[in-house]
Amino acid sequence: MKKEDINKLLEEMTIQEKIGQLTQLSGEFFQTDNQEITGPIYSENKVNEEEVYTLGSVLGVYGVENIYKIQSDYLKKSRMKIPLLFMADVIHGARTIFPIPLGLATSFNPNLVQKTAEIAAKEATAAGLHVTFAPMVDLSRDPRWGRVMEGTGEDTFLNASFAASFVKGFQGNFDNEHLAACVKHFAAYGAVEAGREYNVVDLPENKLRELYLPAYKSAIDAGVALVMTSFNTINGVPATGNKWLLKKILRDEWSFEGVVITDYGALTEQVIWGTAKNSEEAAQKALLATVDIEMMTTAYLQTLKYLVKTDKKMLVLLDEAVRRVLELKNRLGLFEDPYRGALLEREKTQVFTEENKQVAYDAAVESIVLLKNDKGSLPLTKKDKVSFLGPLLDSTDLLGSWSWKGDVTDTESVLSELVEEECSPIDVADKLVIFVGEQSSQTGESKSYTNISLEQETVDLVCRYAGGEQEIILVVFAGRPLDLSAVSDKVDSILYAYFPGTMGARAIVDLLYGKQNPSAKLTMSLPRNVGQIPIYYNQYMTGRPTLTEDEEYVSRYQDCLKTPLYPFGHGLSYSEFEYFDSFVSTKENKVIVDISVKNISSIDGKTTVLIFMRDLVGSTARPLKELKAFEKIEINAGETRQLHFEIDREQLKFYNFSNDYIFEPGKFEVFISRSSEDIIDSKIIEI
Ligand code: GLC
C-alpha cells in the first residue's frame, strides 16, 4: 500500500477503530485456545464484539490453522478490514530451539547468533507469525534475576554486537521468511534493585547511557521495527509512562520511528506503581510518551475516546500512533497478503528440519563453556572407564524457559545419547561424569532467587565421590551464573552447558568425548557467592585497591575474595594456543593491535582473543578494563593466524559527570587477553 493510501485509511477510520489498532489481546479474545499465556489474565479486560473487530494485534497465537481462522474471521467481520498483526516470544528458536541467549553469547560468534535468528524467523513465519518479542538485550550484573538467561551478559559492547546480529537475523530484508523484531525491555530492566523481578531501577543518567542503553541503540541502528517498554521504573517513573525515556531519548535523540509496544499489562501497572491515579491518567501518560500498542490491558480502549474528545493534542498523538502501526503492517505486506506466506505446506517442510537441527547442534557446541580441566580429565577416551550419574543425566529439560514451540518430549537427554559409549558401574569407573544444575522452571521471568548455589543434595552427591582416586567431571545446566564454590575445588573438570537447546545432549556427549572441542567463553561472571553481587569484570580501581587479600583498609571482603570464581571471558579448549608478536600502536585516531596465535597442540580448535582498554585518567573514575574488540578464530593443529584490531577513538568516549558524551585525550592501557583476568600482553599508549 502506498503512503497516501495509509493517509486515506486513517481518514476513513472512526476514533474507536483507531484506538482498537493500539490494543493487543491474546487468543482467547478471538476464540482460540491455542496460544501461550505469558502473564496474568486481567478480569477487567472486558471487550465487546464490536471492539474485538477493531483490535490491531494478537498476542501468543501460533500455527497456520489458528492464524487463518482468526485472521479470516476478523477480515470478514471488521469494517475497515485492516489485517491483524500476530506477535509472540520467539526468543532463541521457534520449534528448533537453540541455546538460551546467555549460552549463545559465550560463542562470541555474532554470525552464528544471526544464523540462529534467521532459522527461528523462517520457522515462525512458516507458522504464520509476523513479529517476535526479541531480542532481549537487557544488560545485567545480577544472577539473582531470573531473566539473565534471556540476555547476552554483563558487557555493553558485546550486548550491542549481539543485539544487531539478532535483529539482522530475525528481520533480514523483511521478506515473508523473516519477522519484525522487537528489542526489549526498554530500558535497563536488568538493573532491577537486588535482582528482584519487576522492581525499581535507579541509575545516574551517565551510567544508564554508558552501560545500559547502547544495546537498545544498536538494535535500532540495525533497523529493529519495534521497541517494548519494560516493567521497571527508571529513577521513579515507570518506563511505560516515561516521556524522558521514550520521547526524548528513543524518538527525538535516536529518531526511532517504529512501533513502541508495552510489556504485558505494563500500561495500567502505572496505577499500581502509584504514578497514575487511574487508567485514564495511565493512558494519557503512555500516549504522551508515544507508546503505540497497549499489551493485554484496555486502558486505551476504555479511556482514549474521552481523552481525544477533550484534548486535540491527544487526537494528534492518537493519529501518529495509529500511523506507525499501519506502517508496520504495510511494511510486512499484510494489506496485500494478510497471511504473509503462511502455508501448511511450509509449516510441514521448513520446521524442525535436519538442517535446522544441525545449526542448533553447531550452536550448542559453541555455547558450552569448559570452565576447568585441571588434570586433562577431558576429553574422555574409549579406554576410560566412565560412569555417568547425577540428577540431570536423564533430563530432557534442556530448552530453557522461553523455548516457544520447543518440545521436551522430542528432546534427547544425555543418557539417551550415550548409546555407543561404554558406561561403567561407579565402583569400577576411573572417571565420574555428574550432571547437575537448575530446572528451566527456576529461571526466566518472575524467577528471582536469593540463593544461587547448587542444592545441598547435589553438593553432597559430589562430595561423596570427591577426594578419591576417581576423576570427577561436572556438567552444569543453568539459566544463570550459579555459585559453584561448594564443589569447584572438589572436581577436576567442569562443563557449563546453560540450557543448550534441542541438540544440547548430542553436543555435550561429543564435547565430552572430544569429537568437538570447546571454544566458548563466559559473558557473565560466576560469583563465589551471592554476597558479591553485583559482580562484573569492568570494576573500578577504588581509592584503596586490594593488592593482597590480607591487607587492612583496602576495598575487599573480610570473608571472601573479591574476584569472581570464574571471570568474564573465561573458557578453556582442548587445544593449546601460543601468542606472540603482539604489537600495539596508534595511527591517527585509532589504536592498532596486532598479534599472532599458534595452535601448538595436535587438536584443531577455535579461540577468541579479547581486547580490553583502560582509560588511566578521566574526569570520572573509569573501569579497570572495558571490552573494545574481540575476534574468534579457527586454528588447525600446528597452524598460526595473525589477528589485527583497530579501535577508533570514538569507542573511547564516555558519559562524564555532566552526562556529556566525550573523549578525553590521555594515556590508555591496552590489554590483549584470553579473558578479563588472563592477560597475554599489555601496553600503555597515548591518544
Ligand atoms: C512477558 C515478558 C515479555 C514478553 C511479553 C509477551 O511478561 O516480560 O518479555 O515478550 O510478556 O509475552
Side-chain angles (χ1 to χ4, degrees), residues 370-385:
L370 180 60
L371 292 177
K372 179 177 184 181
N373 197 25
D374 287 2
K375 292 181 190 163
S377 310
L378 291 177
L380 302 171
T381 67
K382 296 296 181 198
K383 288 200 299 299
D384 289 327
K385 289 199 211 67

Side-chain angles (χ1 to χ4, degrees), residues 58-120:
V58 188
L59 168 64
V61 171
Y62 192 79
V64 172
E65 279 181 72
N66 293 308
I67 285 174
Y68 259 79
K69 193 165 89 178
I70 292 176
Q71 190 76 288
S72 53
D73 172 60
Y74 179 89
L75 292 173
K76 206 179 324 158
K77 295 176 184 164
S78 150
R79 185 181 80 91
M80 289 304 297
K81 309 210 180 304
I82 298 169
L84 288 163
L85 270 172
F86 288 86
M87 307 193 191
D89 297 281
V90 175
I91 311 291
H92 55 101
R95 174 72 177 85
T96 307
I97 303 302
F98 303 100
I100 57 170
L102 191 60
L104 274 175
T106 64
S107 69
F108 276 82
N109 188 340
N111 294 334
L112 175 68
V113 166
Q114 182 169 328
K115 181 74 188 156
T116 67
E118 278 164 14
I119 292 172

Side-chain angles (χ1 to χ4, degrees), residues 24 36-40 59-60 88-89 91 133-134 136 147 150 184-185 189 197-198 228-229 231 262-265 295 402 404 445:
Q24 176 174 111
E36 297 290 326
I37 300 289
T38 53
L59 168 64
D89 297 281
I91 311 291
F133 297 125
M136 185 277 216
R147 299 195 78 162
E150 210 177 332
K184 68 185 184 184
H185 304 81
Y189 182 16
E197 184 62 292
Y198 311 124
M228 181 186 290
T229 64
F231 289 119
T262 74
D263 202 339
Y264 192 116
M295 182 196 290
W402 278 110
W404 194 238
E445 184 173 354

Side-chain angles (χ1 to χ4, degrees), residues 284 287-288 304 307-308 311-318:
Q284 186 178 39
L287 195 60
L288 285 168
L304 280 191
L307 281 171
V308 298
D311 179 346
K312 285 287 157 260
K313 197 171 58 174
M314 299 304 278
L315 180 57
V316 170
L317 290 172
L318 170 65

Side-chain angles (χ1 to χ4, degrees), residues 168-186:
K168 289 173 198 157
F170 284 128
Q171 296 193 158
N173 55 10
F174 246 78
D175 63 20
N176 284 353
E177 295 196 350
H178 287 89
L179 293 162
C182 175
V183 66
K184 68 185 184 184
H185 304 81
F186 195 64

